[in-house]
């Protein structure tokens, strides 16, 4: 399925069965809030999985885009809805462990929100423009050292993994790099491609087509393991930077007030949909590695650990609240 076929207006009805089943959560449409614009990675994931859910349960699934304020607008809207399972949210895990570090949000990300299911993960890519002279990581490092204090890194948002990775790399490699912030990946990547900024740690989903298209050069990934897309490319941990180990996740979220039986039913339908081979292929095609889990306690424990880690990074580098 082509990406342009997945993009829809901000409010979309996915799959409308003539005979809706009155499944355990009622017979109203299932609303899935996406705290990002239509056409982005999270939006595509929500529509791909949502479409399969609609087929599986015979119930319409509405995808509603509520972008803004680093995802907090959409997340707050989800929490304001009745905790009956009829309104949930799809978003990256940085909604809980990164954004609240640098901006005030009207909820407790670790108490008010529950992770229903994870459907995919993504690593982060260390990239430059294709015309950059360094051919491999060691060459890149040597090039940056010759320009100590004059080189720069782009990030797609203050207090994000992209920002953290650049700061840690510059600090540990003693590069004195300048941080250049952008309102998202696309404008940042354009300046990386154009050579206005030296490097960037970007999400694989947005860098993948540019790497494949020959516009970006990939040197390393920052996931826990090598990328399935580029198995020959080393991780930052392998290269001697174990603190630059970041991995994004796409999850379905709900209110922590969801009744246990409703949570369990949502987990069952999401897992079934996300496990479908066609769904997994579509996610993989847009730069997301399918990785389904409905272990809510494990995800919460992971989020608490990541929240503490990120808080330490924010404190060390004196990253200010937006």
């Amino acid at each position: 399925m082509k990406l342009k076929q997945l993009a829809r207006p901000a409010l979309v009805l996915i799959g409308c069965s003539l005979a809706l089943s009155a499944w355990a959560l009622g017979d109203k449409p299932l609303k899935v809030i996406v705290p990002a614009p239509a056409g982005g990675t999270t939006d595509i994931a929500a529509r791909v999985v949502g479409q399969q859910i609609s087929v599986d349960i015979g119930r319409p699934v509405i995808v509603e885009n509520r972008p803004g304020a680093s995802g907090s607008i959409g997340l707050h809207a989800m929490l304001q809805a009745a905790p009956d399972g009829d309104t949930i949210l799809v978003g990256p895990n940085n909604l809980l462990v990164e954004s609240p570090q640098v901006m005030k949000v009207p909820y407790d990300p670790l108490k008010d929100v529950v992770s229903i299911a994870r459907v995919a993960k993504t690593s982060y890519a260390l990239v430059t423009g294709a015309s950059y002279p360094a051919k491999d990581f060691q060459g890149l490092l040597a090039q940056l050292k010759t320009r100590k204090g004059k080189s720069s890194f782009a990030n797609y948002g203050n207090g994000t993994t992209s920002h953290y990775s650049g700061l840690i790399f510059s600090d540990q490699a003693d590069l004195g790099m300048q941080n250049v912030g952008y309102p998202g990946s696309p404008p940042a990547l354009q300046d990386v491609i154009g050579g206005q900024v030296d490097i960037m740690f970007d999400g694989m989903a947005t860098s993948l087509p540019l790497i494949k298209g020959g516009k970006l050069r990939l040197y390393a990934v920052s996931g826990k393991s090598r990328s399935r897309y580029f198995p020959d490319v080393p991780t930052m941990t392998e290269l001697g930077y174990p603190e630059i180990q970041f991995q994004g996740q796409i999850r379905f979220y709900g209110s922590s007030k969801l009744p246990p039986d409703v949570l369990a039913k949502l987990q069952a339908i999401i897992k079934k949909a996300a496990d479908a081979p066609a769904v997994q292929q579509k996610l993989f095609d847009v730069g997301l590695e399918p990785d389904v889990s409905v272990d809510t306690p494990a995800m919460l424990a992971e989020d608490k650990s990541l929240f503490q880690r990120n808080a330490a990074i924010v404190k060390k580098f004196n990253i200010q609240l937006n």
Side-chain angles (χ1 to χ4, degrees):
M1 185 178 291
K2 296 181 180 179
L3 300 191
K4 64 182 180 181
Q5 291 177 308
L6 295 171
R8 296 290 188 272
L11 190 62
V12 174
L13 192 64
I14 297 179
C16 187
S17 172
L18 294 177
L20 298 178
S21 64
W23 70 302
L25 303 183
D27 56 5
K28 295 190 299 182
L30 175 64
K31 180 188 288 187
V32 177
I33 294 176
V34 175
T41 304
T42 302
D43 178 70
I44 292 170
R47 294 176 192 279
V48 168
V49 181
Q51 187 173 41
Q52 186 63 48
I53 289 174
S54 180
V55 171
D56 290 343
I57 68 174
R59 179 184 181 189
V61 174
I62 297 174
V63 175
E64 181 178 332
N65 296 88
R66 297 288 296 272
S70 298
S72 64
I73 290 176
L75 190 51
H76 191 220
M78 183 273 289
L79 291 173
Q80 288 183 311
D84 55 9
D86 284 327
T87 301
I88 55 179
L89 178 140
V90 173
N93 61 328
N94 64 22
L95 290 173
L96 306 187
V97 301
E98 290 179 15
S99 300
Q101 304 282 356
V102 295
M103 64 183 299
K104 293 181 180 180
V105 294
Y107 48 81
D108 186 319
L110 299 181
K111 292 182 179 180
D112 297 334
V113 184
V114 63
S115 292
I116 301 171
R118 180 179 66 230
V119 297
K121 64 182 181 181
T122 183
S123 57
Y124 292 85
L126 171 57
V127 297
T128 68
S131 61
Y132 205 80
K135 303 302 181 183
D136 56 25
F137 179 80
Q138 294 306 325
L140 173 65
L141 190 59
Q143 178 75 15
L144 295 173
K145 284 184 177 295
T146 64
R147 303 180 59 238
K148 182 177 178 180
K150 298 179 181 179
S151 59
S152 57
F153 72 90
N155 80 71
Y156 55 66
N158 188 37
T160 64
T161 291
S162 180
H163 189 192
Y164 299 158
S165 298
L167 289 172
I168 296 170
F169 180 49
S170 177
D171 178 61
Q172 294 189 347
D174 191 26
L175 299 173
M177 302 184 76
Q178 303 298 312
N179 168 41
V180 184
Y182 292 83
S185 286
L189 289 171
Q190 285 306 306
D191 278 3
V192 171
I193 292 170
Q196 288 89 351
V197 186
D198 289 271
I199 70 167
M200 181 177 180
F201 285 89
D202 184 50
M204 183 61 75
T206 44
S207 283
L208 181 62
L210 296 171
I211 296 170
K212 289 185 173 181
K215 294 184 177 181
L216 290 176
R217 176 173 288 139
L218 173 64
Y219 296 90
V221 297
S222 63
K224 296 179 181 178
S225 57
R226 293 193 177 195
S227 169
R228 287 172 57 187
Y229 300 97
F230 303 101
D232 294 332
V233 175
T235 66
M236 290 300 294
T237 297
E238 291 177 81
L239 294 168
Y241 299 87
E243 290 187 33
I244 306 179
Q245 187 180 106
F246 296 95
Q247 177 178 276
Q249 299 179 23
I250 300 296
R251 298 181 188 170
F252 279 76
Y253 297 98
S255 167
S256 60
K257 296 178 182 178
L258 283 174
D261 62 322
V262 174
L263 175 61
K265 291 181 176 72
L266 284 168
Q267 288 176 325
I269 66 166
I270 293 169
K271 178 172 174 52
K272 180 181 179 182
D275 274 336
V279 169
Q280 297 212 344
Q281 185 61 52
K282 290 172 185 175
L283 293 176
F284 188 76
D285 288 345
V286 297
L288 295 171
E289 299 183 41
D291 185 10
V292 183
S293 172
V294 295
D295 190 337
T296 293
M299 286 187 280
L300 177 58
E302 181 180 21
D303 287 343
K304 287 181 177 179
S305 176
L306 292 175
F307 191 92
Q308 293 175 352
R309 179 199 66 180
N310 293 343
I313 294 172
V314 168
K315 182 177 180 180
K316 177 178 180 178
F317 292 102
N318 193 29
I319 300 173
Q320 300 298 310
L321 288 171
N322 289 332

